[in-house]
Amino acid sequence: MHTILQGKRLIAFDLDGTLIDSVPDLAVGVQRALQEVGLAQPSEDQVRDWVGNGAQVLVERALTWALNVAPEAMLQQNAYEAFMRHYGAAPNALTKLYPGAFEALHALHEAGFVLALITNKPERFIAPILSHFGVLALFTSTVGGDSLAEKKPSPLPLLHVAHTLDIAPSASVMVGDSRHDIAAGKAAGFSTGALPYGYNHGDPIEQSHPDLIVASLRELVS
């Protein structure tokens, strides 16, 4: 196991951009939602830079791009509901686990680490996606972006999981791909691990100064 895991008990993972590449399905959901409300549709690459702050913000960013101004509340709600319907109909059609994720999760679980999933994705999508990839049973706790009063970059979801599982933050690691994951981890007192291949709004993850950067989750168990 990697040295960052020495003395640790809890490993919390982000989902989108860390364990799964979900942008192809998210982009389809966004495109169909904007088409439904009569607006131009963004490309998949554009959607990739908008992911990370939850579904509401994703839809807001897409609408703002299409309108060149912030959307009115009713349009935001209509587009959000359309996105949730379209994305929810097929959240795994094009989504894939990143190479090494399946093996790393199983190895960490078998080694006795407690695994948690802390994502800004709406809670309703977590179990179907993890079940689809055969890893749901590996996680002791899962928290979505609408599970609590705050989401990442707030430390609240991380502290909630640590408290619920009775594991000290100092014995915990947050692994993610964006500045929101690293900021939440640092504020919660977790060690932080980062991956450079995910969704960080086009910025290098090095700028967030995580404790560790690994090219693949395999490096955590090598």
Side-chain angles (χ1 to χ4, degrees):
M1 296 294 166
H2 197 282
T3 55
I4 195 174
L5 302 181
Q6 291 180 0
K8 306 299 184 182
R9 295 178 54 207
L10 168 65
I11 308 176
F13 289 93
D14 175 54
L15 182 58
D16 300 79
T18 298
L19 299 180
I20 61 172
D21 183 7
S22 54
V23 162
D25 284 316
L26 291 169
V28 170
V30 169
Q31 291 161 353
R32 290 178 178 172
L34 266 64
Q35 182 179 38
E36 188 170 312
V37 297
L39 295 174
Q41 295 94 60
S43 69
E44 182 177 309
D45 284 342
Q46 287 171 304
V47 173
R48 187 172 295 273
D49 282 341
W50 298 337
V51 174
N53 295 94
Q56 282 278 14
V57 175
L58 172 60
V59 171
E60 181 183 6
R61 287 170 175 159
L63 290 172
T64 300
W65 167 82
L67 296 166
N68 287 316
V69 295
E72 295 183 355
M74 182 164 291
L75 178 59
Q76 168 73 24
Q77 185 61 29
N78 290 341
Y80 172 72
E81 291 175 358
F83 167 78
M84 294 291 280
R85 184 171 67 254
H86 289 298
Y87 178 65
N92 292 308
L94 302 170
T95 294
K96 299 183 183 300
L97 276 178
Y98 282 111
F102 184 86
E103 297 83 356
L105 291 173
H106 277 273
L108 292 167
H109 183 264
E110 291 171 6
F113 291 99
V114 178
L115 304 185
L117 187 92
I118 303 176
T119 175
N120 284 346
K121 181 186 287 293
E123 183 177 5
R124 74 184 75 174
F125 300 127
I126 296 174
I129 290 173
L130 295 182
S131 296
H132 175 79
F133 291 111
V135 296
L136 178 61
L138 304 179
F139 291 94
T140 302
S141 177
T142 63
V143 174
D146 54 358
S147 300
L148 301 169
E150 299 174 9
K151 58 181 179 288
K152 298 176 295 183
S154 168
L156 177 63
L158 285 67
L159 294 172
H160 169 80
V161 168
H163 176 74
T164 300
L165 298 177
D166 194 25
I167 298 175
S170 60
S172 307
V173 182
M174 179 71 218
V175 179
D177 65 297
S178 81
R179 58 178 181 257
H180 310 299
D181 300 312
I182 306 308
K186 289 178 179 293
F190 284 38
S191 295
T192 54
L195 297 145
Y197 53 63
Y199 320 142
N200 192 34
H201 313 289
D203 297 327
I205 194 61
E206 290 86 353
Q207 294 179 357
S208 296
H209 305 291
D211 297 310
L212 171 72
I213 298 177
V214 292
S216 164
L217 289 173
R218 292 189 184 98
E219 293 183 33
L220 292 178
V221 297
S222 61

